[in-house]
Amino acid sequence: QVQLVESGGGLVQAGGSLRLSCAASGRVFSDNTMGWYRQAPGKQRELVAAITSGRSTAYADSVKGRFTISRGNAKNTVYLQMNSLKPEDTAVYYCNTAQRGWDYWGQGTQVTVSS
């Protein structure tokens, strides 16, 4: 089992920045992929950004150039630096890790961007 705990969400004005953190514990493998998803009210959960164990990254088109995903030196931490935030970025952000055919999710952290 793997547990994921997110932190760093909050309320910010449009144009501001936030940094999300996620720490994984339990049976974490070094070859996992970690990512951030988000879900806005009335919408489906969508991928925001992902990073492999080799630090290859992928981003949703809507956040390219504004968000940066990174991994800590430890295999079990991932960050999401969010700059130039827009009201449409408002959502619950979930940390995810995919390893050995299994997906694990955090409890989510609320990000609210006011106009």
Side-chain angles (χ1 to χ4, degrees):
Q1 282 288 348
V2 175
Q3 296 78 41
L4 300 171
V5 178
E6 304 105 333
S7 61
L11 173 64
V12 65
Q13 288 188 330
S17 299
L18 283 174
R19 178 178 166 91
L20 304 182
S21 301
C22 174
S25 61
R27 198 174 183 191
V28 181
F29 294 104
S30 59
D31 60 347
N32 63 5
T33 293
M34 300 190 78
W36 290 94
Y37 288 70
R38 67 186 181 188
Q39 188 167 18
K43 295 188 177 181
Q44 289 190 332
R45 190 173 297 189
E46 63 175 358
L47 174 68
V48 176
I51 184 167
T52 68
S53 56
R55 301 181 188 266
S56 295
T57 59
Y59 294 92
D61 288 343
S62 59
V63 307
K64 283 180 180 176
R66 300 188 297 122
F67 292 10
T68 302
I69 190 170
S70 62
R71 300 186 73 137
N73 290 331
K75 63 183 178 183
N76 60 344
T77 55
V78 65
Y79 306 98
L80 186 68
Q81 178 66 43
M82 305 185 293
N83 298 328
S84 302
L85 283 160
K86 304 175 181 180
E88 50 263 44
D89 294 318
T90 295
V92 178
Y93 284 69
Y94 296 91
C95 180
N96 167 274
T97 184
Q99 58 179 31
R100 310 292 169 92
W102 292 90
D103 271 301
Y104 299 91
W105 297 91
Q107 80 286 354
T109 185
Q110 177 70 45
V111 171
T112 303
V113 184
S114 62
S115 57

